[in-house]
């Protein structure tokens, strides 16, 4: 079934049946309450959680209610768990939507913490997001996939790992290279770069090869000013309409190009697209060749740093095209890449991307994925409404 028809069926069920029934049971619903109901209806949190009834020992708190509350935290853009608990205690409608009828049923902060650790270890929001994308994009042909990364600031100390900026991980049994200059006539084997190794690796091996520790990242903005941060870097593949399809969280020190091939592999398993759009940070022949091997048209902005005089030549050509009133078809399509920039901004402004209060890769990824899950449902519903 086409995507529009699938989403329309969901929306008719939610708006025509679910909202009236909930308002009759709970009272008037605000816009954020309705948004939360829509996310929970499409995400189907309960289908991905285990039921512990009948187990010997003290019964665990209802994990489904706790998972729904973390979805509510991202939907309402609540920065801290303590503030979420306070909101649950005063907002009766929100509390009942999450699954607690009485005030005394709301768990303590420590219970929320333990449940969040379990969700992070099992990658619950990532699995929810993957299932949502596969369910809604099974028969959809995506025109453009826009790829980019964004800085994620974390409240933890960076790990200074030796060889952080090297792109190769030596095998344990491999001998270390000799120090110093090679002798005359001596040829030493060159280490393969990560981009050269990735096309022959499985997705699991590629993800295991990427650094995931907290580090210091730096980049130049559009005006040429250098900025730095401590934390991580979130890599996104975004489809037309602002729907995140694939996500990766790596160390902040990792270059954007190193996550392009793993992202492309993840996206190809979830949907079918025609064009890959990337900025000049991804200008590498390995990335272009891998995208073409997937049957995509790869459009990457040219990086003029490696070729002397190329920057001035490109500027002169752009001036001539502007004077003639002519634009290349690739340049027109490349303008669609701003989709991923808007998604990065929405994630940070509206869905908790700026309020990371947990430590460690898995927990930071879990926090961000609850926001991405909510953002994805919101973007899908905007296609209909």
């Amino acid at each position: 079934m086409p995507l529009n028809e699938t989403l329309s069926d969901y929306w008719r069920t939610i708006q025509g049946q679910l909202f009236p029934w909930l308002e009759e049971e709970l009272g008037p619903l605000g816009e954020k309450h309705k948004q939360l109901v829509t996310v929970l209806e499409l995400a189907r949190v309960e289908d991905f959680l285990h039921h512990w009834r009948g187990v010997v020992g003290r019964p665990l708190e209802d994990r489904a209610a706790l998972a729904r509350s973390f979805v509510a935290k991202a939907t309402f853009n609540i920065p801290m768990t303590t503030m979420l608990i306070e909101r649950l205690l005063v907002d009766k409608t929100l509390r009942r939507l999450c699954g607690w009828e009485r005030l005394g049923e709301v768990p303590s902060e420590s219970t929320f913490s333990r449940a969040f650790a379990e969700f992070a270890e099992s990658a619950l929001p990532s699995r929810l997001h993957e299932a949502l994308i596969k369910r809604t994009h099974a028969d959809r042909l995506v025109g453009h996939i826009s790829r980019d990364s964004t800085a994620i600031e974390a409240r933890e100390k960076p790990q200074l790992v030796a060889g952080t900026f090297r792109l190769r991980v030596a095998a344990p049994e491999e001998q270390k290279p000799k120090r110093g200059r090679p002798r005359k006539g001596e040829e030493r084997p060159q280490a393969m770069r990560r981009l050269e190794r990735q096309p022959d690796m499985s997705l699991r091996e590629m993800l295991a090869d990427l650094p995931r520790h907290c580090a210091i990242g730096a980049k130049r903005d559009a005006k040429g000013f250098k900025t730095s941060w401590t934390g991580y870097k979130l890599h996104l593949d975004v489809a037309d309409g602002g729907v995140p399809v694939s996500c990766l969280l790596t160390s902040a020190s990792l270059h954007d190009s190193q996550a392009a091939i793993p992202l492309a592999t993840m996206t190809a398993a979830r949907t079918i697209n025609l064009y890959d759009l990337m900025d000049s940070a991804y200008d590498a022949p390995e990335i272009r060749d891998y995208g073409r091997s997937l049957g995509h048209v790869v459009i990457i902005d040219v990086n003029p740093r490696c070729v002397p005089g190329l920057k001035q030549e490109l500027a002169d050509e752009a001036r001539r095209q502007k004077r003639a009133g002519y634009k290349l078809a690739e340049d027109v399509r490349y303008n669609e890449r701003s989709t991923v920039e808007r998604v990065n901004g929405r994630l940070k402004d509206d869905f908790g991307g700026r309020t990371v209060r947990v430590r460690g890769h898995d927990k930071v990824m879990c926090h961000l994925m609850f926001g991405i899950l909510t953002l994805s449902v919101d973007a899908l519903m905007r296609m209909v409404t």
Side-chain angles (χ1 to χ4, degrees), residues 17-29 92-93 96-97 101:
Q17 301 178 16
L18 190 56
F19 284 165
W21 180 79
L22 287 174
E23 288 182 345
E24 183 179 351
E25 291 289 327
L26 307 178
L29 298 176
K92 181 179 179 181
T93 302
R96 296 186 65 185
L97 286 176
E101 293 292 333

Side-chain angles (χ1 to χ4, degrees), residues 43-50 63-71 115-132 362 365-367 369-370 373:
R44 301 177 182 177
V45 177
E46 295 80 4
D47 296 344
F48 292 81
L49 292 171
H50 298 287
R63 288 307 189 251
L66 289 165
R68 287 192 291 266
S69 66
F70 283 115
V71 174
F116 186 84
E118 294 177 10
F119 299 153
E121 184 179 0
S122 63
L124 173 66
S126 298
R127 292 186 289 119
L128 289 170
H129 177 258
E130 180 181 0
L132 173 69
D362 293 342
M365 184 63 171
C366 183
H367 171 83
M369 286 306 301
F370 274 119
L373 175 66

Side-chain angles (χ1 to χ4, degrees), residues 276-284 288 298-305 310 314 330-331 334 337:
D276 291 343
L277 309 180
M278 290 163 273
D279 60 17
S280 58
Y282 300 89
D283 188 10
R288 294 180 184 273
V298 182
I299 302 177
I300 304 178
D301 192 19
V302 178
N303 189 343
R305 298 175 185 173
L310 181 58
L314 293 174
E330 290 80 3
D331 295 337
Y334 183 77
R337 202 194 67 84

Side-chain angles (χ1 to χ4, degrees), residues 145-150 193 195 198 219 233-238 246 248 250 254-264 276-292 298-305 334 337 340-341 344:
I145 288 292
S146 303
R147 183 169 298 133
D148 201 4
S149 67
T150 186
R193 299 181 300 119
L195 285 177
Q198 283 179 340
K219 65 189 303 184
K233 185 179 288 187
L234 180 66
H235 307 264
L236 287 177
D237 267 9
V238 179
S246 302
L248 280 179
T250 65
L254 185 73
H255 194 266
D256 291 359
S257 61
Q258 308 302 303
I261 293 179
L263 268 179
D276 291 343
L277 309 180
M278 290 163 273
D279 60 17
S280 58
Y282 300 89
D283 188 10
E286 293 85 0
I287 298 176
R288 294 180 184 273
D289 294 340
Y290 191 81
R292 295 190 185 102
V298 182
I299 302 177
I300 304 178
D301 192 19
V302 178
N303 189 343
R305 298 175 185 173
Y334 183 77
R337 202 194 67 84
V340 66
E341 302 288 352
N344 288 333

Side-chain angles (χ1 to χ4, degrees), residues 201-210 262 265-266:
M201 300 169 66
S202 65
L203 178 59
R204 184 186 295 261
E205 293 172 342
M206 284 189 283
L207 296 180
D209 190 39
L210 297 177
T265 305
M266 295 174 62

Side-chain angles (χ1 to χ4, degrees), residues 112-181:
F112 274 88
S113 259
R114 287 193 296 269
F116 186 84
E118 294 177 10
F119 299 153
E121 184 179 0
S122 63
L124 173 66
S126 298
R127 292 186 289 119
L128 289 170
H129 177 258
E130 180 181 0
L132 173 69
I133 295 301
K134 288 183 177 180
R135 187 168 66 249
T136 57
H137 287 66
D139 299 325
R140 184 190 180 193
L141 180 63
V142 177
H144 308 88
I145 288 292
S146 303
R147 183 169 298 133
D148 201 4
S149 67
T150 186
I152 301 297
E153 296 184 3
R155 294 187 173 186
E156 54 183 305
K157 293 182 179 180
Q159 298 182 17
L160 300 179
V161 180
T164 298
F165 296 96
R166 297 183 181 274
L167 303 181
R168 180 175 178 273
V169 179
E173 66 274 4
E174 184 180 357
Q175 295 182 356
K176 295 183 179 180
K178 296 181 180 179
R179 300 177 61 182
R181 296 178 57 186

